[in-house]
Amino acid sequence: MRTLVLLIMSVLGLNLTAQTFQVGKRACVLYDQERGKRRITADIYYPSLSEGSNVSIDTSSCAFPLICFGHGFVMNVSSYSNIWQTLVPAGFIVAFPKTETGIAPSHLALAKDISFVISYLQKESNTPGCFFYHRIASTSCAMGHSMGAGSALLAASFNKDISSLVLLAPAETRPSAIKASESIKVPSIVFSGTNDCVTPPSKHHLPIFEALKGSNKLFISIIGGNHCNMADDNRLCDLAEATCKNDFQISRNEQQAIINRYLLPWLRCYLKGDKDIWPETEKQLAVDKEINCINP
């Protein structure tokens, strides 16, 4: 995975001497006192000096921006190793709430869980003696896939500490993610697949994107991309998408490589303040034949 990160950086002409990190993991149980001590289990992946569970967090660099990721319908955290294996080595902490995984999930409850995890971990970063003390930056991102992307958007509508949104094939939710978009002004990027029949872009991704009010927003439509290839292999997701009958479809590896091509620069720009990286990324967007782009 470290090789993949370096390859992406090379393609974008980025600094190849930038530090990369190992991946540590903590399995946590958090309690939201304001919601009747709601129990929130979460896996947290963080930059470390060695691979493994509960290993020491890296302290050789600045604090790391926080990303909280919402999972898709009946999908679990194990379906998103592509996310943490890409982002943690690049210097981000990624938290995955493991709630609302059943067949009747509450989109709002998952949104509140995403919001709570972000607020809880940022508070822990300011508390002496805590594991993440002084290791979490003030910037944060709500990110998700499908239902989890819609819930991430809802979280951003009521948590003003969220600095950015990253939405992978976002689904309309209850309450409405489209309606909530009207109040969101933070930098937001939406990844869509032209072959997505689970959350068709015209009914889900585009209405959400168009309703976003911020001036820094970007819509990337991956030509031949589908819904499930945003994540790792998941049988239930693949079953839901089996009804799609398209002549052209790219592989999971190809789709995820396209996502990472723009995801990493976006996060570096809006969470790490690396504004110099974006002009080069915009040049890539203009010539990339594997995508269609809306950049107001």
Side-chain angles (χ1 to χ4, degrees), residues 54-96:
N54 300 314
V55 295
S56 297
I57 191 167
D58 189 279
T59 58
S60 64
S61 66
C62 297
F64 306 110
L66 173 63
I67 298 164
C68 192
F69 191 97
H71 61 80
F73 177 64
V74 296
M75 297 178 70
N76 53 40
V77 172
S78 63
S79 299
Y80 297 101
S81 64
N82 61 304
I83 300 298
W84 77 71
Q85 287 176 355
T86 297
L87 297 184
V88 176
F92 299 92
I93 294 172
V94 188
F96 292 84

Side-chain angles (χ1 to χ4, degrees), residues 72-268:
F73 177 64
V74 296
M75 297 178 70
N76 53 40
V77 172
S78 63
S79 299
Y80 297 101
S81 64
N82 61 304
I83 300 298
W84 77 71
Q85 287 176 355
T86 297
L87 297 184
V88 176
F92 299 92
I93 294 172
V94 188
F96 292 84
K98 300 169 70 176
T99 56
E100 302 302 325
T101 57
I103 60 172
S106 167
H107 304 151
L108 182 58
L110 180 56
K112 290 183 177 180
D113 292 344
I114 292 170
S115 175
F116 176 80
V117 169
I118 289 173
S119 297
Y120 180 93
L121 290 175
Q122 288 184 329
K123 181 179 179 180
E124 182 167 302
S125 182
N126 294 318
T127 306
C130 288
F131 182 82
F132 290 107
Y133 181 53
H134 280 177
R135 302 313 304 143
I136 298 179
S138 60
T139 53
S140 64
C141 173
M143 182 177 180
H145 172 226
S146 192
M147 172 191 83
S151 292
L153 192 151
L154 293 176
S157 72
F158 51 73
N159 186 333
K160 303 308 178 185
D161 292 329
I162 291 173
S163 311
S164 180
L165 273 174
V166 175
L167 309 176
L168 308 179
E172 171 65 318
T173 55
R174 295 188 300 271
S176 172
I178 297 173
K179 181 66 176 177
S181 296
E182 297 176 1
S183 67
I184 292 176
K185 298 181 180 180
V186 297
S188 303
I189 185 170
V190 177
F191 290 93
S192 174
T194 59
N195 288 6
D196 188 338
C197 68
V198 178
T199 56
S202 62
K203 295 182 179 179
H204 294 264
H205 316 163
L206 279 167
I208 286 173
F209 174 78
E210 290 167 352
L212 290 166
K213 293 303 182 185
S215 58
N216 291 328
K217 63 178 185 177
L218 177 64
F219 187 93
I220 294 179
S221 177
I222 302 170
I223 299 170
N226 69 14
H227 188 81
C228 299
N229 283 354
M230 302 284 184
D232 287 337
D233 184 49
N234 181 280
R235 290 184 180 180
L236 290 176
C237 187
D238 291 339
L239 181 63
E241 200 159 37
T243 58
C244 290
K245 298 183 183 299
N246 296 294
D247 294 331
F248 174 74
Q249 185 166 303
I250 60 176
S251 71
R252 175 172 273 108
N253 286 341
E254 290 172 321
Q255 182 163 332
Q256 292 179 5
I258 294 169
I259 293 170
N260 293 341
R261 190 180 302 162
Y262 301 106
L263 174 59
L264 286 168
W266 180 272
L267 293 174
R268 282 186 57 179

